[in-house]
Amino acid sequence: MTERPDSAAWLARFVGGRTPPTRETLRGWERWRKSRNDFLPAPRMDATAWRLMSPRKRALHDLHRAATHSNLPVLATPMARKVATRLTTRLKTNWLKQKPTTRAGVMITGGGAQGKTETVCEIAATFQDEWERLGQLTAVAQPGTRDLIAPIAYVQTPVTAKPKSTCKAILNFYGAPITSRMDLPDLVHQVAASLRDHGTRVLVLDDITRLRMHRADDQDTLDLIRALMSMHVTLVLVGVDIPSSGLLREGRFDRPRSQVSFASATSRGAFGLQATQTERRFDLVELDRFRYDTPDQIAAWVQHLSGVEECLRLLRASTEMLTGGTMPEYLHRRTNGVVGLLERLIEDGCEEAMSSGSECLTESLLEGIDIILGNSFDQTSREAPKIPKHNPTSSRRTRNRNGSFDDKGPSSIDAGA
């Protein structure tokens, strides 16, 4: 029996009823990839229809609306489409390559909270979906290994990156056995075997700017990452402000081709691996924030706000709630055009609008909300974005908890109908 999207059983699957998948393991990646579009937003409803519901259905609908605002989709932006075009082209080209040559990699850079990880994971998952539909994932597991095909591997760079810890992070994705007796050459051999046996064609290393080039261990780890390029996988490195991180210090940036070419190694690598004879090449692509300087940039920002507006489920949402009047300029000033900060502000604003009964986002309501990121971002990778200074012109509100199940007495919606 199929569950109704508005039933308590269906909603429980998304509100405390299951653990979100972790993409750092093969099973977690597959679970996320196959379920990433399963969430259905709350149905649209105005205040009149809401009043006609029973108290229990109101509470369930309010909880569904809150879940909708907490799970806003990743919307396509002009900057994300640029990244998607470059990354998809590189993945396809390398996927079809049969020659035993080093595969060119891609570096995705940008500021904090600009959606780099979600954009890259979505592109990689979509690429895998399409190739599965074409029946092109034909890698066969080797004898003695698990029959698990993993064309995409997603790994977070360890906080204190060393060659051994990086190898272990990659092996942990596959659930490969790791013993305390394994030295570095053994770990590198195991990584190469896992990539081969599981048919991995793309290796995503997130938070790559945790590496600090003034540390010997980090330089050795970068050498290992370069050596992985000779294992017939496409390396996708994701990090904050990669050009100024020192990762490219030993390289040469070819501006016309938007590529970084690393000079050929002149000595043996740190793990007994000889560097390839070809230069290490990466496409360097920036996922930028929204700008607000030209008519085209303003139009792109307003279009994005229109997409966000369509995802909201406030009962008294006015026409052009986010795109009319001075609201676009106000939201850009509060978030500096960073999609992650915009999401946080809108999410908290919707919670305040529901709790207060106003059920609409306005500048005066948002004025009382500070953007607080807390520990959401890793400070070691400089991921935390700079939040624009906010000097509210109206009285400051205190952030409210979710009051969906509170008995508030007569609703302000009823009173104002």
Side-chain angles (χ1 to χ4, degrees), residues 24-43:
E24 292 81 7
T25 65
L26 173 52
R27 294 188 184 278
W29 171 268
E30 285 302 300
R31 179 185 164 196
W32 168 79
R33 182 175 68 89
K34 294 177 180 179
S35 66
R36 69 189 193 277
N37 297 319
D38 284 358
F39 182 80
L40 295 178

Side-chain angles (χ1 to χ4, degrees), residues 178-254:
I178 303 173
T179 66
S180 58
R181 295 178 297 177
M182 298 177 70
D183 57 15
L184 188 54
D186 292 333
L187 290 171
V188 173
H189 176 77
Q190 184 78 333
V191 167
S194 293
L195 293 171
R196 180 187 66 249
D197 295 343
H198 291 85
T200 300
R201 311 292 286 274
V202 180
L203 175 59
V204 180
L205 290 177
D206 202 357
D207 293 325
I208 193 63
T209 43
R210 285 175 174 170
L211 297 180
R212 297 290 186 266
M213 292 301 97
H214 65 278
R215 298 191 298 229
D217 285 336
D218 293 43
Q219 294 176 5
D220 290 343
T221 302
L222 183 58
D223 287 340
L224 169 64
I225 292 172
R226 293 173 184 172
L228 293 175
M229 299 180 72
S230 64
M231 298 179 185
H232 301 166
V233 296
T234 302
L235 279 185
V236 181
L237 309 183
V238 185
V240 175
D241 195 11
I242 290 178
S244 63
S245 67
L247 288 173
L248 309 181
R249 189 171 300 159
E250 298 176 9
R252 172 175 50 83
F253 184 67
D254 187 351

Side-chain angles (χ1 to χ4, degrees), residues 377-388:
F377 296 90
D378 175 30
Q379 299 294 333
T380 64
S381 62
R382 298 178 299 168
E383 180 69 20
K386 292 182 178 180
I387 301 176

